[in-house]
Amino acid sequence: MEKTHDKPILRQIAQLGQPVLREPARPVDDPADPAVQALIDDMLVTVSDANGVGIAAPQVHEPLALFIVASRPNPRYPHAPVMAPTAMLNPEIVWGSDETEKGWEGCLSVPGLRGLVSRHRKIGVRYLTRAGELREEEYTDFIARIFQHEFDHIRGLVFVDRVDTRDLVSEKEYLRIIA
Ligand code: ZN
């Protein structure tokens, strides 16, 4: 992992084809590790700068089980609900509703494309906060979708793995016609 630094820095985002996106991530041993804390700070500025609603550590070339959910309306996701940016370490999906829903997803590692992905509409999850506290939460709809998308990243999956290619569209057309 990179050394710690005083101020958060924008990280390079791994693009589809880079092997780090296909490796299973390893658990975070010590959330208090200054390198982990610095990584979280970097991911927070990187996801905001890129107009993302979430980012996983493998997307910034760190194969760790850690991601940020940072839902808010932005030019890439005009209808996203607002949620305070939250770092989730060693996340788990405890249960998923039988009810699934197809919805549009994009990915900072797959620029220019959107696809319809089927996800659980509701999930129960567990994760550690950046302070090392265990949280159990339930999420629905778009936030549940972000969690499932980011959870895929830490297992080496990307959303296009789950898309029928006929449900894949260019981001430009998506923003013009569908959003
Ligand atoms: Zn992604």
Side-chain angles (χ1 to χ4, degrees):
M1 192 178 312
E2 282 206 1
K3 293 208 169 59
T4 57
H5 33 271
D6 293 339
K7 272 188 167 170
I9 54 168
L10 288 177
R11 295 290 195 105
Q12 289 261 357
I13 297 175
Q15 302 293 290
L16 189 63
Q18 297 193 279
V20 68
L21 293 173
R22 294 309 194 173
E23 289 165 20
R26 53 175 201 278
V28 178
D29 291 331
D30 178 12
D33 180 342
V36 170
Q37 294 292 320
L39 171 61
I40 291 169
D41 289 335
D42 291 350
M43 288 169 64
L44 286 166
V45 296
T46 302
V47 71
S48 168
D49 178 76
N51 287 317
V53 290
I55 194 167
Q59 291 184 275
V60 295
H61 304 271
E62 304 282 3
L64 284 176
L66 152 62
F67 55 70
I68 309 282
V69 175
S71 182
R72 67 194 164 101
N74 68 43
R76 289 182 67 246
Y77 293 94
H79 309 297
V82 176
M83 173 178 165
T86 306
M88 303 181 179
L89 287 63
N90 300 340
E92 293 168 59
I93 295 177
V94 182
W95 55 265
S97 60
D98 290 338
E99 187 189 358
T100 57
E101 195 166 60
K102 273 192 171 184
W104 291 99
E105 295 185 20
C107 181
L108 297 174
S109 296
V110 189
L113 288 177
R114 296 293 174 103
L116 268 181
V117 187
S118 179
R119 301 283 190 190
H120 298 293
R121 200 175 82 74
K122 198 169 176 183
I123 52 174
V125 308
R126 237 194 320 254
Y127 62 88
L128 295 176
T129 67
R130 67 182 297 174
E133 290 161 355
L134 182 68
R135 287 280 154 81
E136 296 193 41
E137 308 278 0
E138 290 182 16
Y139 297 123
T140 53
D141 300 324
F142 194 64
I143 303 293
R145 177 171 299 280
I146 298 172
F147 191 105
Q148 290 170 87
H149 177 115
E150 303 309 333
F151 188 73
D152 274 353
H153 276 304
I154 65 174
R155 293 182 299 164
L157 296 172
V158 291
F159 82 96
V160 286
D161 300 340
R162 300 183 180 278
V163 178
D164 180 326
T165 48
R166 287 164 296 189
D167 288 334
L168 208 51
V169 301
S170 77
E171 182 158 276
K172 195 173 160 199
E173 287 306 297
Y174 170 80
L175 291 171
R176 195 166 71 88
I177 294 166
I178 300 162

